[in-house]
Amino acid sequence: MDGTDGVDRVHGTDGVGVGVGVGGVRRSGAEVSAPARGNGQRVLVIVHDSGVAELLTTTLELADYRVTAARTGAQGMARLAEHRFDLVVMDVSVPDIEELGEGRRFRPAGRPPVLFLAEYEKLGLLVPELGLGESDYVTVPFRISEVLTRAHVLLRGRGSMGQGPCYGDLVLDDATCQARRGRRALDLTPAEYRLLRHLLVNAERVLSKEQICRHVWGETRAGNAIEKLVSRLRHKVDQEQPPLIHTRRGFGYRLGH
């Protein structure tokens, strides 16, 4: 451990160092000020070193973030396809980094801000990603307190949608009855919102017109009423690729890839 800067640093097998003098831990009679905290935002940590990943995950969870971990670029892309995240913390030395294109191909709709963990010599690789207001970096070895501070800055002003269901980049906020796909807000009527939510919480399942009628209107209606409602909703939701709302002729409708 190196205590020359007043904060202990622990180095992982990949050369990542983390400061453990945070959150009110006392050292030499001085108390370190508490770092910035989250507000339930979802964070994806893409770090190969298991010790560093565990420390980051534990610290972020203690700071009121909801954390999911991945150890490779491929795993990170899979997590991003499955869930919506408010922030990604990514070590640029993870294996198969080409899966994320070192950030440059990491641009799904509604891409969350990215906090890169990089050695000083590799900062040149990140130049195209920096200065855009939605990416930042921390040099390795790093202090946990610095990671928490940079994360807080990246998330500041973005907020986090209410605890509603989501599927990929499609997110619903039940508190405000609003929905968005990526960064695009969906201007939905109450019936469209109820339909979308019903499809989303039953993702990958086919729902019959009768099931949809009972949920949306509480009564049975003519089949063309559902067809028109689904058509309007599909026009609003599926402006991006891939399309999410699909028709199973003779059976009903489903939401999924």
Side-chain angles (χ1 to χ4, degrees), residues 1-211:
M1 291 192 180
D2 175 11
T4 57
D5 59 358
V7 178
D8 290 337
R9 294 173 184 264
V10 179
H11 291 261
T13 58
D14 291 333
V16 179
V18 293
V20 296
V22 298
V25 176
R26 292 182 178 276
R27 178 174 174 83
S28 303
E31 183 172 320
V32 180
S33 60
R37 299 181 64 83
N39 186 30
Q41 295 99 325
R42 297 195 61 169
V43 178
L44 174 62
V45 173
I46 308 176
V47 175
H48 182 63
D49 185 282
S50 58
V52 175
E54 181 179 0
L55 183 56
L56 279 169
T57 297
T58 301
T59 305
L60 288 165
E61 287 177 343
L62 289 173
D64 290 337
Y65 295 100
R66 293 179 294 157
V67 184
T68 299
R71 298 193 64 186
T72 66
Q75 290 179 2
M77 288 299 293
R79 302 291 187 273
L80 285 164
E82 295 167 356
H83 303 288
R84 171 241 183 201
F85 293 93
D86 299 291
L87 175 70
V88 174
V89 178
M90 186 176 77
D91 178 7
V92 299
S93 67
V94 297
D96 66 347
I97 191 67
E98 64 275 6
E99 292 289 339
L100 295 171
E102 292 170 339
R104 286 185 277 278
R105 273 183 280 165
F106 179 40
R107 295 186 181 279
R111 185 194 82 166
V114 184
L115 179 60
F116 294 99
L117 311 178
E119 296 177 2
Y120 181 80
E121 293 76 12
K122 296 182 178 180
L123 290 181
L125 299 174
L126 304 179
V127 170
E129 292 295 314
L130 303 178
L132 301 178
E134 295 191 349
S135 298
D136 203 347
Y137 71 93
V138 174
T139 55
V140 175
F142 60 82
R143 301 183 184 89
I144 281 288
S145 57
E146 185 176 9
V147 172
L148 293 174
T149 298
R150 298 292 178 88
H152 180 73
V153 170
L154 284 171
L155 289 167
R156 186 170 55 199
R158 290 176 62 95
S160 181
M161 292 189 76
Q163 305 302 309
C166 62
Y167 185 94
D169 62 350
L170 176 63
V171 184
L172 273 62
D173 184 353
D174 287 338
T176 60
C177 292
Q178 295 179 341
R180 73 171 186 242
R181 184 160 185 194
R183 298 179 185 177
R184 182 173 60 85
L186 308 180
D187 184 17
L188 304 181
T189 66
E192 290 167 350
Y193 186 88
R194 290 193 296 270
L195 169 58
L196 180 58
R197 192 184 193 286
H198 194 44
L199 290 169
L200 196 153
V201 298
N202 291 282
E204 307 296 350
R205 294 177 54 191
V206 176
L207 300 178
S208 68
K209 291 181 178 180
E210 292 75 15
Q211 289 174 311

